[in-house]
Amino acid sequence: MTMTLDLTQLQLVMDGETDIVIRRDFTHPPARVWRGLTEPALIPLWLGEMKRCEMDARPGGAFHFEWEAFFFWGPILAADAPHHMTHVEHFSGDTSYRVEVTTDLVARGAGTRMTQVMRYADAEARAAAIAAGFTDGLDDVYGKLEALLTAD
Protein backbone atom coordinates (compact mmCIF):
# COMPACT_ATOMS: atom_id res chain seq x y z
CA MET A 1 0.00 0.00 0.00
CA THR A 2 1.33 3.44 -0.95
CA MET A 3 0.47 6.44 1.17
CA THR A 4 0.72 9.96 -0.23
CA LEU A 5 1.30 12.75 2.24
CA ASP A 6 -0.57 15.97 1.44
CA LEU A 7 1.43 18.90 2.77
CA THR A 8 -0.56 21.75 1.26
CA GLN A 9 -1.28 22.44 4.90
CA LEU A 10 1.63 23.07 7.19
CA GLN A 11 3.12 20.28 9.31
CA LEU A 12 4.74 21.28 12.58
CA VAL A 13 6.71 18.65 14.51
CA MET A 14 8.67 18.85 17.75
CA ASP A 15 11.96 17.04 17.18
CA GLY A 16 14.18 16.17 20.11
CA GLU A 17 14.31 18.72 22.92
CA THR A 18 15.26 21.82 20.95
CA ASP A 19 13.92 21.69 17.39
CA ILE A 20 10.69 22.63 15.69
CA VAL A 21 10.43 21.24 12.16
CA ILE A 22 8.02 22.90 9.74
CA ARG A 23 7.13 21.33 6.38
CA ARG A 24 4.91 22.72 3.67
CA ASP A 25 4.51 22.14 -0.05
CA PHE A 26 4.09 25.01 -2.48
CA THR A 27 2.77 24.70 -6.04
CA HIS A 28 5.61 26.85 -7.37
CA PRO A 29 9.25 26.03 -8.19
CA PRO A 30 12.00 26.77 -5.63
CA ALA A 31 13.15 29.99 -7.35
CA ARG A 32 9.67 31.49 -7.01
CA VAL A 33 9.29 30.42 -3.37
CA TRP A 34 12.80 31.76 -2.62
CA ARG A 35 11.82 35.09 -4.11
CA GLY A 36 8.74 35.28 -1.87
CA LEU A 37 10.80 34.39 1.20
CA THR A 38 13.64 36.83 0.55
CA GLU A 39 12.48 39.92 -1.39
CA PRO A 40 11.73 42.81 0.98
CA ALA A 41 8.94 44.15 -1.26
CA LEU A 42 7.10 40.80 -1.06
CA ILE A 43 7.67 39.72 2.55
CA PRO A 44 5.16 42.15 4.18
CA LEU A 45 2.49 40.96 1.74
CA TRP A 46 2.40 37.57 3.44
CA LEU A 47 3.93 38.25 6.90
CA GLY A 48 1.81 41.32 7.55
CA GLU A 49 2.33 45.05 7.47
CA MET A 50 5.73 46.03 8.82
CA LYS A 51 7.43 49.21 9.94
CA ARG A 52 10.71 47.90 8.55
CA CYS A 53 11.61 44.99 6.26
CA GLU A 54 15.19 44.39 5.23
CA MET A 55 16.69 41.19 3.85
CA ASP A 56 20.15 40.59 2.41
CA ALA A 57 19.93 36.86 1.70
CA ARG A 58 23.64 36.26 1.20
CA PRO A 59 26.18 34.70 3.56
CA GLY A 60 27.32 37.56 5.77
CA GLY A 61 24.09 39.47 5.08
CA ALA A 62 21.36 40.12 7.62
CA PHE A 63 17.64 40.66 7.99
CA HIS A 64 15.41 42.92 10.09
CA PHE A 65 11.63 42.43 10.25
CA GLU A 66 9.84 44.99 12.45
CA TRP A 67 6.19 45.34 13.37
CA GLU A 68 4.59 47.81 15.80
CA ALA A 69 5.16 45.73 18.95
CA PHE A 70 8.31 43.70 18.24
CA PHE A 71 11.02 42.82 15.75
CA PHE A 72 13.24 39.95 14.66
CA TRP A 73 16.74 40.47 13.29
CA GLY A 74 19.94 38.54 12.76
CA PRO A 75 22.73 37.42 10.48
CA ILE A 76 22.50 35.17 7.44
CA LEU A 77 24.96 32.34 8.12
CA ALA A 78 24.62 30.45 4.84
CA ALA A 79 22.69 30.89 1.61
CA ASP A 80 22.54 28.98 -1.65
CA ALA A 81 19.71 30.53 -3.66
CA PRO A 82 17.14 29.22 -4.35
CA HIS A 83 17.56 26.11 -2.21
CA HIS A 84 19.04 26.81 1.21
CA MET A 85 19.42 29.48 3.86
CA THR A 86 20.50 29.39 7.49
CA HIS A 87 20.02 32.45 9.65
CA VAL A 88 19.89 33.40 13.31
CA GLU A 89 16.87 35.14 14.80
CA HIS A 90 17.12 37.47 17.77
CA PHE A 91 13.90 38.83 19.28
CA SER A 92 13.45 42.57 19.87
CA GLY A 93 17.11 43.32 20.50
CA ASP A 94 17.64 40.45 22.96
CA THR A 95 20.77 38.64 21.76
CA SER A 96 20.30 35.99 24.46
CA TYR A 97 17.20 34.92 22.50
CA ARG A 98 18.83 32.98 19.68
CA VAL A 99 17.14 30.63 17.25
CA GLU A 100 19.03 29.11 14.35
CA VAL A 101 16.65 28.65 11.41
CA THR A 102 17.55 26.46 8.44
CA THR A 103 15.27 26.61 5.41
CA ASP A 104 15.57 24.11 2.57
CA LEU A 105 13.56 24.29 -0.65
CA VAL A 106 13.50 21.09 -2.71
CA ALA A 107 11.82 20.74 -6.11
CA ARG A 108 8.93 18.25 -6.12
CA GLY A 109 7.53 18.01 -9.63
CA ALA A 110 6.46 21.53 -10.59
CA GLY A 111 6.33 22.56 -6.93
CA THR A 112 8.54 22.87 -3.86
CA ARG A 113 8.79 21.16 -0.48
CA MET A 114 9.92 23.64 2.16
CA THR A 115 11.50 22.20 5.29
CA GLN A 116 12.39 24.63 8.03
CA VAL A 117 14.19 23.63 11.22
CA MET A 118 14.07 26.09 14.10
CA ARG A 119 16.75 25.13 16.65
CA TYR A 120 16.46 26.65 20.12
CA ALA A 121 19.21 26.74 22.75
CA ASP A 122 17.39 24.28 25.01
CA ALA A 123 14.00 22.73 25.76
CA GLU A 124 13.01 25.67 27.97
CA ALA A 125 13.66 28.21 25.21
CA ARG A 126 11.59 26.18 22.75
CA ALA A 127 8.73 25.83 25.25
CA ALA A 128 8.82 29.58 25.94
CA ALA A 129 8.65 30.37 22.21
CA ILE A 130 5.65 28.10 21.77
CA ALA A 131 3.96 29.59 24.86
CA ALA A 132 4.59 33.09 23.46
CA GLY A 133 2.77 32.10 20.27
CA PHE A 134 5.72 32.15 17.88
CA THR A 135 4.34 29.10 16.05
CA ASP A 136 0.71 30.30 16.00
CA GLY A 137 -0.65 31.19 12.59
CA LEU A 138 2.20 29.73 10.55
CA ASP A 139 -0.22 27.79 8.35
CA ASP A 140 -2.06 31.03 7.64
CA VAL A 141 1.05 33.06 6.73
CA TYR A 142 2.45 30.34 4.47
CA GLY A 143 -1.01 30.06 2.89
CA LYS A 144 -0.76 33.80 2.18
CA LEU A 145 2.67 33.24 0.62
CA GLU A 146 1.21 30.52 -1.64
CA ALA A 147 -1.62 32.89 -2.68
CA LEU A 148 0.85 35.72 -3.32
CA LEU A 149 3.04 33.51 -5.51
CA THR A 150 -0.03 32.37 -7.45
CA ALA A 151 -1.17 35.96 -8.05
CA ASP A 152 2.33 37.28 -8.84
Side-chain angles (χ1 to χ4, degrees):
M1 174 183 211
T2 304
M3 186 170 101
T4 304
L5 199 56
D6 176 15
L7 289 177
T8 55
Q9 299 298 310
L10 181 125
Q11 271 191 346
L12 191 138
V13 176
M14 302 303 142
D15 187 28
E17 292 187 5
T18 60
D19 293 2
I20 298 173
V21 180
I22 299 162
R23 289 186 189 89
R24 191 188 196 286
D25 285 350
F26 293 90
T27 60
H28 309 282
R32 194 170 184 96
V33 177
W34 179 269
R35 186 173 160 244
L37 291 171
T38 61
E39 286 191 17
L42 299 178
I43 294 166
L45 300 177
W46 60 275
L47 263 183
E49 187 176 329
M50 297 178 177
K51 290 173 52 175
R52 181 175 167 191
C53 181
E54 298 171 3
M55 169 65 83
D56 180 358
R58 299 175 297 156
F63 80 100
H64 187 108
F65 297 164
E66 185 170 348
W67 295 267
E68 284 297 322
F70 63 93
F71 64 94
F72 287 98
W73 66 276
I76 307 298
L77 303 178
D80 181 17
H83 299 288
H84 172 83
M85 181 166 49
T86 300
H87 71 277
V88 173
E89 289 184 355
H90 298 293
F91 179 69
S92 290
D94 180 1
T95 56
S96 69
Y97 178 92
R98 184 186 192 282
V99 181
E100 187 170 297
V101 181
T102 300
T103 303
D104 288 302
L105 303 176
V106 176
R108 291 179 52 95
T112 300
R113 161 84 37 97
M114 178 187 77
T115 303
Q116 213 169 48
V117 178
M118 302 170 71
R119 179 159 290 149
Y120 290 85
D122 52 41
E124 293 78 22
R126 181 180 73 178
I130 293 166
F134 289 166
T135 57
D136 296 350
L138 288 176
D139 192 44
D140 184 49
V141 295
Y142 285 125
K144 289 177 183 176
L145 175 58
E146 173 70 24
L148 171 68
L149 298 175
T150 300
D152 186 32

Short mmCIF file of all heavy atoms in Angstrom, two decimals, residues 3-36:
data_model
loop_
_atom_site.label_atom_id
_atom_site.label_comp_id
_atom_site.label_asym_id
_atom_site.label_seq_id
_atom_site.Cartn_x
_atom_site.Cartn_y
_atom_site.Cartn_z
N MET A 3 1.17 5.33 0.53
CA MET A 3 0.47 6.44 1.17
C MET A 3 1.09 7.75 0.68
O MET A 3 2.30 7.90 0.69
CB MET A 3 0.62 6.35 2.68
CG MET A 3 -0.21 7.37 3.42
SD MET A 3 -0.23 7.04 5.18
CE MET A 3 0.97 8.22 5.73
N THR A 4 0.26 8.66 0.22
CA THR A 4 0.72 9.96 -0.23
C THR A 4 0.44 10.98 0.87
O THR A 4 -0.68 11.06 1.37
CB THR A 4 0.01 10.38 -1.54
OG1 THR A 4 0.23 9.35 -2.50
CG2 THR A 4 0.54 11.69 -2.04
N LEU A 5 1.44 11.73 1.21
CA LEU A 5 1.30 12.75 2.24
C LEU A 5 0.96 14.08 1.59
O LEU A 5 1.68 14.54 0.71
CB LEU A 5 2.63 12.86 2.99
CG LEU A 5 2.64 13.49 4.35
CD1 LEU A 5 1.66 12.79 5.29
CD2 LEU A 5 4.03 13.40 4.95
N ASP A 6 -0.16 14.67 1.97
CA ASP A 6 -0.57 15.97 1.44
C ASP A 6 -0.08 17.05 2.39
O ASP A 6 -0.55 17.16 3.52
CB ASP A 6 -2.09 16.03 1.31
CG ASP A 6 -2.58 17.39 0.87
OD1 ASP A 6 -1.76 18.21 0.39
OD2 ASP A 6 -3.78 17.66 0.99
N LEU A 7 0.88 17.85 1.92
CA LEU A 7 1.43 18.90 2.77
C LEU A 7 1.03 20.28 2.29
O LEU A 7 1.76 21.24 2.49
CB LEU A 7 2.95 18.78 2.83
CG LEU A 7 3.48 17.60 3.61
CD1 LEU A 7 4.99 17.54 3.53
CD2 LEU A 7 3.05 17.67 5.06
N THR A 8 -0.12 20.41 1.62
CA THR A 8 -0.56 21.75 1.26
C THR A 8 -0.89 22.54 2.53
O THR A 8 -0.87 23.75 2.52
CB THR A 8 -1.78 21.72 0.33
OG1 THR A 8 -2.82 20.97 0.94
CG2 THR A 8 -1.42 21.13 -1.02
N GLN A 9 -1.16 21.82 3.59
CA GLN A 9 -1.28 22.44 4.90
C GLN A 9 0.03 22.22 5.63
O GLN A 9 0.71 21.22 5.43
CB GLN A 9 -2.44 21.83 5.70
CG GLN A 9 -3.79 21.99 5.04
CD GLN A 9 -4.19 23.44 4.89
OE1 GLN A 9 -4.13 24.20 5.83
NE2 GLN A 9 -4.59 23.82 3.70
N LEU A 10 0.37 23.12 6.48
CA LEU A 10 1.63 23.07 7.19
C LEU A 10 1.68 21.92 8.19
O LEU A 10 0.69 21.63 8.85
CB LEU A 10 1.81 24.40 7.92
CG LEU A 10 3.07 24.57 8.70
CD1 LEU A 10 3.78 25.83 8.24
CD2 LEU A 10 2.74 24.66 10.17
N GLN A 11 2.84 21.27 8.28
CA GLN A 11 3.12 20.28 9.31
C GLN A 11 4.12 20.89 10.28
O GLN A 11 5.13 21.45 9.86
CB GLN A 11 3.79 19.05 8.71
CG GLN A 11 2.89 17.99 8.25
CD GLN A 11 3.71 16.73 7.94
OE1 GLN A 11 4.92 16.75 7.85
NE2 GLN A 11 3.01 15.64 7.77
N LEU A 12 3.85 20.77 11.55
CA LEU A 12 4.74 21.28 12.58
C LEU A 12 5.02 20.14 13.55
O LEU A 12 4.10 19.55 14.09
CB LEU A 12 4.06 22.45 13.30
CG LEU A 12 4.96 23.25 14.23
CD1 LEU A 12 4.67 24.73 14.05
CD2 LEU A 12 4.75 22.83 15.65
N VAL A 13 6.31 19.80 13.70
CA VAL A 13 6.71 18.65 14.51
C VAL A 13 7.77 19.08 15.52
O VAL A 13 8.71 19.80 15.15
CB VAL A 13 7.28 17.53 13.60
CG1 VAL A 13 7.78 16.36 14.41
CG2 VAL A 13 6.25 17.08 12.57
N MET A 14 7.63 18.65 16.75
CA MET A 14 8.67 18.85 17.75
C MET A 14 9.67 17.71 17.57
O MET A 14 9.28 16.54 17.58
CB MET A 14 8.12 18.82 19.17
CG MET A 14 7.03 19.82 19.45
SD MET A 14 7.55 21.50 19.14
CE MET A 14 6.05 22.16 18.45
N ASP A 15 10.93 18.04 17.40
CA ASP A 15 11.96 17.04 17.18
C ASP A 15 13.02 17.18 18.27
O ASP A 15 13.62 18.25 18.43
CB ASP A 15 12.58 17.23 15.79
CG ASP A 15 13.53 16.13 15.42
OD1 ASP A 15 13.36 14.99 15.91
OD2 ASP A 15 14.46 16.38 14.63
N GLY A 16 13.24 16.11 19.01
CA GLY A 16 14.18 16.17 20.11
C GLY A 16 13.71 17.18 21.15
O GLY A 16 12.52 17.46 21.27
N GLU A 17 14.66 17.76 21.88
CA GLU A 17 14.31 18.72 22.92
C GLU A 17 14.35 20.16 22.46
O GLU A 17 13.80 21.04 23.12
CB GLU A 17 15.26 18.55 24.11
CG GLU A 17 15.09 17.24 24.83
CD GLU A 17 15.93 17.17 26.10
OE1 GLU A 17 16.56 18.18 26.46
OE2 GLU A 17 15.93 16.10 26.72
N THR A 18 15.01 20.43 21.32
CA THR A 18 15.26 21.82 20.95
C THR A 18 14.67 22.26 19.62
O THR A 18 14.59 23.45 19.36
CB THR A 18 16.77 22.10 20.89
OG1 THR A 18 17.36 21.24 19.90
CG2 THR A 18 17.43 21.86 22.24
N ASP A 19 14.28 21.33 18.76
CA ASP A 19 13.92 21.69 17.39
C ASP A 19 12.41 21.70 17.15
O ASP A 19 11.67 20.89 17.71
CB ASP A 19 14.55 20.71 16.39
CG ASP A 19 16.05 20.80 16.34
OD1 ASP A 19 16.64 21.59 17.11
OD2 ASP A 19 16.65 20.07 15.53
N ILE A 20 12.02 22.63 16.29
CA ILE A 20 10.69 22.63 15.69
C ILE A 20 10.92 22.48 14.19
O ILE A 20 11.68 23.25 13.60
CB ILE A 20 9.92 23.93 15.98
CG1 ILE A 20 9.70 24.12 17.47
CG2 ILE A 20 8.59 23.94 15.22
CD1 ILE A 20 9.09 25.47 17.84
N VAL A 21 10.29 21.48 13.59
CA VAL A 21 10.43 21.24 12.16
C VAL A 21 9.11 21.58 11.49
O VAL A 21 8.04 21.11 11.89
CB VAL A 21 10.81 19.78 11.86
CG1 VAL A 21 10.94 19.55 10.35
CG2 VAL A 21 12.10 19.40 12.58
N ILE A 22 9.19 22.45 10.48
CA ILE A 22 8.02 22.90 9.74
C ILE A 22 8.18 22.39 8.31
O ILE A 22 9.24 22.56 7.70
CB ILE A 22 7.94 24.44 9.73
CG1 ILE A 22 7.80 24.94 11.17
CG2 ILE A 22 6.80 24.92 8.85
CD1 ILE A 22 8.13 26.40 11.32
N ARG A 23 7.12 21.78 7.79
CA ARG A 23 7.13 21.33 6.38
C ARG A 23 5.86 21.84 5.71
O ARG A 23 4.79 21.80 6.29
CB ARG A 23 7.17 19.81 6.29
CG ARG A 23 8.48 19.21 6.69
CD ARG A 23 8.51 17.70 6.43
NE ARG A 23 9.70 17.13 7.02
CZ ARG A 23 9.80 16.68 8.28
NH1 ARG A 23 8.75 16.72 9.06
NH2 ARG A 23 10.93 16.19 8.72
N ARG A 24 6.05 22.28 4.47
CA ARG A 24 4.91 22.72 3.67
C ARG A 24 5.28 22.64 2.20
O ARG A 24 6.38 22.98 1.81
CB ARG A 24 4.49 24.15 3.99
CG ARG A 24 3.13 24.48 3.34
CD ARG A 24 2.79 25.93 3.47
NE ARG A 24 1.40 26.22 3.21
CZ ARG A 24 0.83 26.22 2.01
NH1 ARG A 24 1.51 25.88 0.93
NH2 ARG A 24 -0.44 26.55 1.88
N ASP A 25 4.32 22.17 1.40
CA ASP A 25 4.51 22.14 -0.05
C ASP A 25 3.90 23.40 -0.66
O ASP A 25 2.87 23.89 -0.20
CB ASP A 25 3.84 20.92 -0.67
CG ASP A 25 4.61 19.63 -0.41
OD1 ASP A 25 5.75 19.70 0.08
OD2 ASP A 25 4.06 18.56 -0.71
N PHE A 26 4.58 23.89 -1.68
CA PHE A 26 4.09 25.01 -2.48
C PHE A 26 3.92 24.52 -3.91
O PHE A 26 4.64 23.61 -4.34
CB PHE A 26 5.07 26.19 -2.43
CG PHE A 26 5.16 26.83 -1.08
CD1 PHE A 26 6.09 26.39 -0.14
CD2 PHE A 26 4.31 27.87 -0.73
CE1 PHE A 26 6.17 26.97 1.11
CE2 PHE A 26 4.38 28.45 0.53
CZ PHE A 26 5.31 28.00 1.45
N THR A 27 3.03 25.13 -4.65
CA THR A 27 2.77 24.70 -6.04
C THR A 27 3.70 25.38 -7.03
O THR A 27 3.52 25.23 -8.23
CB THR A 27 1.30 24.98 -6.43
OG1 THR A 27 1.05 26.38 -6.32
CG2 THR A 27 0.35 24.20 -5.55
N HIS A 28 4.69 26.08 -6.53
CA HIS A 28 5.61 26.85 -7.37
C HIS A 28 7.02 26.30 -7.25
O HIS A 28 7.38 25.71 -6.23
CB HIS A 28 5.57 28.33 -6.96
CG HIS A 28 4.18 28.85 -6.90
ND1 HIS A 28 3.48 29.20 -8.01
CD2 HIS A 28 3.34 29.01 -5.85
CE1 HIS A 28 2.26 29.59 -7.65
NE2 HIS A 28 2.15 29.47 -6.34
N PRO A 29 7.87 26.53 -8.26
CA PRO A 29 9.25 26.03 -8.19
C PRO A 29 10.07 26.76 -7.13
O PRO A 29 9.71 27.86 -6.69
CB PRO A 29 9.80 26.31 -9.60
CG PRO A 29 8.92 27.36 -10.17
CD PRO A 29 7.58 27.21 -9.51
N PRO A 30 11.20 26.16 -6.70
CA PRO A 30 12.00 26.77 -5.63
C PRO A 30 12.39 28.22 -5.87
O PRO A 30 12.36 29.02 -4.93
CB PRO A 30 13.24 25.86 -5.58
CG PRO A 30 12.74 24.53 -6.02
CD PRO A 30 11.73 24.85 -7.09
N ALA A 31 12.73 28.60 -7.10
CA ALA A 31 13.15 29.99 -7.35
C ALA A 31 12.03 30.97 -7.02
O ALA A 31 12.28 32.05 -6.48
CB ALA A 31 13.60 30.16 -8.80
N ARG A 32 10.80 30.60 -7.30
CA ARG A 32 9.67 31.49 -7.01
C ARG A 32 9.40 31.57 -5.51
O ARG A 32 9.12 32.64 -4.97
CB ARG A 32 8.45 31.00 -7.77
CG ARG A 32 7.32 31.99 -7.83
CD ARG A 32 6.26 31.46 -8.81
NE ARG A 32 5.21 32.39 -8.99
CZ ARG A 32 5.14 33.27 -9.97
NH1 ARG A 32 6.09 33.34 -10.87
NH2 ARG A 32 4.10 34.08 -10.06
N VAL A 33 9.49 30.43 -4.83
CA VAL A 33 9.29 30.42 -3.37
C VAL A 33 10.41 31.21 -2.70
O VAL A 33 10.17 32.02 -1.80
CB VAL A 33 9.21 28.98 -2.84
CG1 VAL A 33 9.08 28.98 -1.31
CG2 VAL A 33 8.05 28.22 -3.47
N TRP A 34 11.65 31.02 -3.15
CA TRP A 34 12.80 31.76 -2.62
C TRP A 34 12.56 33.26 -2.73
O TRP A 34 12.79 34.01 -1.78
CB TRP A 34 14.06 31.36 -3.37
CG TRP A 34 15.29 32.07 -2.92
CD1 TRP A 34 15.79 33.24 -3.43
CD2 TRP A 34 16.19 31.68 -1.89
NE1 TRP A 34 16.95 33.59 -2.77
CE2 TRP A 34 17.21 32.65 -1.82
CE3 TRP A 34 16.23 30.60 -1.00
CZ2 TRP A 34 18.25 32.58 -0.91
CZ3 TRP A 34 17.28 30.53 -0.10
CH2 TRP A 34 18.27 31.51 -0.06
N ARG A 35 12.09 33.67 -3.89
CA ARG A 35 11.82 35.09 -4.11
C ARG A 35 10.82 35.61 -3.08
O ARG A 35 11.01 36.67 -2.48
CB ARG A 35 11.31 35.28 -5.54
CG ARG A 35 11.13 36.70 -5.93
CD ARG A 35 10.79 36.82 -7.43
NE ARG A 35 10.19 38.11 -7.62
CZ ARG A 35 8.94 38.31 -8.00
NH1 ARG A 35 8.16 37.31 -8.31
NH2 ARG A 35 8.47 39.53 -8.12
N GLY A 36 9.74 34.87 -2.85
CA GLY A 36 8.74 35.28 -1.87
C GLY A 36 9.29 35.34 -0.45
O GLY A 36 8.89 36.19 0.34
#
